[in-house]
Amino acid sequence: MSQDNPSQAEYRAQVAAWMQHNRPADPGFLLPQTFMEVGSERVLEFLREWQHKVWSAGYLGAAWPKKYGGQGMSRDYQRIADEEMKRLQVPICFNVIGLGWAGPLILDNGSDYEKEKYLKGILNADDIWCQGFSEPNHGSDLGSIQTRAERDGDDYLINGSKIWTTMGNYAKYMILLARTDAQAERRYNGLSFFLAPMHRDGITTQPIQKITGEYGFTETFFTDARIPASCIMGEEGQGWRIAMQTLQYERGAEAGAAGGISILSIVMDDLLRMAAEIEREGEPLLQDPVTRDNLVKFMIEEKALQLAEKRTEIPALCRDYPNAIALSGKLRSTEFFRRMRQYALTLQGAQGSLYMGDQDTIGGGFWQRAYLNNFSTTIGGGTSQVQANIIGEHVLGLPKD
Ligand SMILES: Cc1cc2nc3c(=O)[nH]c(=O)nc-3n(C[C@H](O)[C@H](O)[C@H](O)COP(=O)(O)OP(=O)(O)OC[C@H]3O[C@@H](n4cnc5c(N)ncnc54)[C@H](O)[C@@H]3O)c2cc1C
């Protein structure tokens, strides 16, 4: 944590007290570790109520303008609220595509009408957002997407399909990237960006089960679905530029995000606790010298990641390429947590191969679920390989892949 000034320190104490007092009781069902596992109505309603409560208390959207449901405070205050939510491991603020990507995009590019219409509903969780970028054959290669949007009077007719649509079955709106000009000389120039309503005839969703056994995303089909032409953001053909701006947010650039935690923080302290509880030959694993050596290496790496994140708060270190630290942070932290969670399973020995629902699991299969869920973060928003390409080309100035 950075040094707080007196007003910030007071705010931090206030947030912590509020979170401890208002933290919801265990609902008796499994809560998601990330916003990509909202797979049932009861989980959805539980999280919706929690996000609404956090927003009502002023701890979400603190840096967004007051007239759009925010608090009009400096970003430092939202950062403090986020740090406390993370530290106290309260439930996630699940409407992440709205809070982190669509919202900042609308704040940056939207008209007054769009800001008025969309922003408050994002913060108070009345309006859930999803993202329609990936298609069955085009994930990393977004420039090739095929879903079509054809102008028809005051509407666009949408045809095609999207896949891996997080919360597609619950969303009221989608940030949609679709092809408006199939003949454009550069394929990127044929794309347009829409703030599209989801509750329309011709739009259907089919939930997809994940490797964890849980649900959280859908395949989304458009068959002559009509959306108003006014839903377009910017002009026809500007979709690629707007999509790239969205991906900057998704890939770690936080500017403009409303805040809240989107992923439960599972850290080295949790792993140390597990290592202290598991016994091998009558001794806690934590006493084993080889295990200790490995754990210390992970702890050093975790500390280095935390310190790197702090560097984003020092403008002089972010001048040349403002998002460099954030972009590399996404790659390094998601891969770090994948390795750290995998190591947790190694420490469990043979029990590491069991899964949730088996009575012999350690901790009910918490680490197994955490490990498998971590792939959401190393794939979603751009895979680690693609993220490495982006850093290589845009930050380090290496030749194009
Ligand atoms: C949990 C989860 C939630 C998601 N939610 C959403 C969502 O809400 N909306 C949405 O639109 N999408 C979503 N996605 C999709 C995600 O953005 C894509 O899965 C991702 O962009 C990769 O695309 P792909 O699956 O088509 O894989 P591909 O692009 O086919 O990649 C396959 C493999 O090839 C590698 N590869 C591809 N291109 C290159 C390259 N140029 N250089 C090196 N390696 C390369 C990749 O790293 C990967 O290992 C989600 C994914 C997950 C896992």
Side-chain angles (χ1 to χ4, degrees), residues 15-25 31-32 42-60 81 84-86 88-95 99 123-125 260-262 264:
V15 178
W18 188 92
M19 292 292 158
Q20 273 154 338
H21 187 254
N22 289 283
R23 173 203 293 277
L31 284 176
R42 64 181 183 173
V43 169
L44 176 79
E45 290 314 320
F46 177 93
L47 292 176
R48 198 200 285 271
E49 196 181 316
W50 170 243
Q51 184 181 318
H52 194 281
K53 209 166 167 178
V54 174
W55 167 75
S56 301
Y59 301 135
L60 192 61
E84 290 307 299
M85 287 190 249
K86 192 169 168 185
L88 294 165
Q89 297 189 326
V90 295
I92 58 172
C93 288
F94 77 109
N95 197 14
L99 296 169
L123 289 174
N124 65 20
I261 46 168
S262 57
L264 197 68

Side-chain angles (χ1 to χ4, degrees), residues 36 131 133-134 139-140 164 166 217 376 379 381 383 385 389 401:
M36 291 170 275
Q131 179 187 35
F133 283 16
S134 306
S140 304
W164 322 123
T166 298
F217 47 28
S376 310
I379 299 173
T383 63
Q385 293 75 21
N389 280 349
D401 178 40

Side-chain angles (χ1 to χ4, degrees), residues 25-324:
D26 182 346
F29 48 82
L30 212 53
L31 284 176
Q33 294 175 332
T34 78
F35 70 99
M36 291 170 275
E37 294 138 56
V38 180
S40 71
E41 292 280 345
R42 64 181 183 173
V43 169
L44 176 79
E45 290 314 320
F46 177 93
L47 292 176
R48 198 200 285 271
E49 196 181 316
W50 170 243
Q51 184 181 318
H52 194 281
K53 209 166 167 178
V54 174
W55 167 75
S56 301
Y59 301 135
L60 192 61
W64 282 15
K66 273 192 172 164
K67 62 175 171 175
Y68 304 129
Q71 297 292 319
M73 300 164 89
S74 94
R75 266 202 63 74
D76 280 335
Y77 288 88
Q78 187 62 55
R79 173 181 53 75
I80 289 169
D82 294 349
E83 283 172 358
E84 290 307 299
M85 287 190 249
K86 192 169 168 185
R87 183 177 69 80
L88 294 165
Q89 297 189 326
V90 295
I92 58 172
C93 288
F94 77 109
N95 197 14
V96 172
I97 292 165
L99 296 169
W101 311 327
L105 200 62
I106 295 167
L107 271 174
D108 277 352
N109 303 339
S111 62
D112 285 346
Y113 170 78
E114 285 166 335
K115 291 176 190 171
E116 199 75 54
K117 179 172 176 187
Y118 297 120
L119 293 178
K120 192 168 168 190
I122 288 176
L123 289 174
N124 65 20
D126 276 355
D127 301 338
I128 298 166
W129 283 70
C130 68
Q131 179 187 35
F133 283 16
S134 306
E135 295 185 353
N137 293 317
H138 307 100
S140 304
D141 181 22
L142 275 184
S144 299
I145 63 170
Q146 298 298 320
T147 295
R148 291 187 319 283
E150 285 163 287
R151 186 71 190 248
D152 184 31
D154 288 340
D155 296 325
Y156 279 96
L157 272 183
I158 314 290
N159 279 288
S161 73
K162 297 287 175 180
I163 197 165
W164 322 123
T165 320
T166 298
M167 288 183 282
N169 44 341
Y170 301 127
K172 184 168 173 187
Y173 299 110
M174 170 186 268
I175 42 175
L176 167 69
L177 190 60
R179 189 163 295 285
T180 38
D181 181 358
Q183 313 302 327
E185 219 166 275
R186 277 186 81 238
R187 58 187 180 145
Y188 304 105
N189 294 344
L191 297 172
S192 299
F193 196 96
F194 299 89
L195 305 175
M198 287 289 283
H199 300 159
R200 293 273 153 161
D201 288 345
I203 304 181
T204 54
T205 59
Q206 179 66 43
I208 306 173
Q209 193 173 28
K210 304 202 306 178
I211 193 173
T212 57
E214 297 165 272
Y215 290 85
F217 47 28
T218 65
E219 184 157 12
T220 307
F221 303 94
F222 300 86
T223 312
D224 285 337
R226 241 170 223 286
I227 61 168
S230 58
C231 294
I232 196 165
M233 178 168 253
E235 307 279 327
E236 263 193 27
Q238 292 181 344
W240 183 251
R241 179 185 61 73
I242 301 173
M244 289 307 103
Q245 190 181 351
T246 317
L247 286 177
Q248 290 269 327
Y249 302 128
E250 194 173 346
R251 289 170 175 165
E254 293 245 318
I261 46 168
S262 57
I263 292 181
L264 197 68
S265 161
I266 300 169
V267 290
M268 282 307 295
D269 280 349
D270 299 302
L271 183 52
L272 295 183
R273 248 193 314 279
M274 189 198 83
E277 282 162 12
I278 297 179
E279 291 208 341
R280 196 75 19 101
E281 291 164 11
E283 287 279 325
L285 256 185
L286 201 50
Q287 302 303 329
D288 170 57
V290 176
T291 305
R292 288 174 80 86
D293 194 33
N294 286 329
L295 288 171
V296 166
K297 284 182 196 145
F298 277 116
M299 288 167 78
I300 292 170
E301 218 177 318
E302 183 181 67
K303 190 72 194 167
L305 282 169
Q306 287 164 357
L307 293 175
E309 201 182 315
K310 289 285 149 217
R311 294 176 63 191
T312 57
E313 292 161 27
I314 304 171
L317 296 176
C318 308
R319 233 182 350 238
D320 293 346
Y321 189 77
N323 295 321

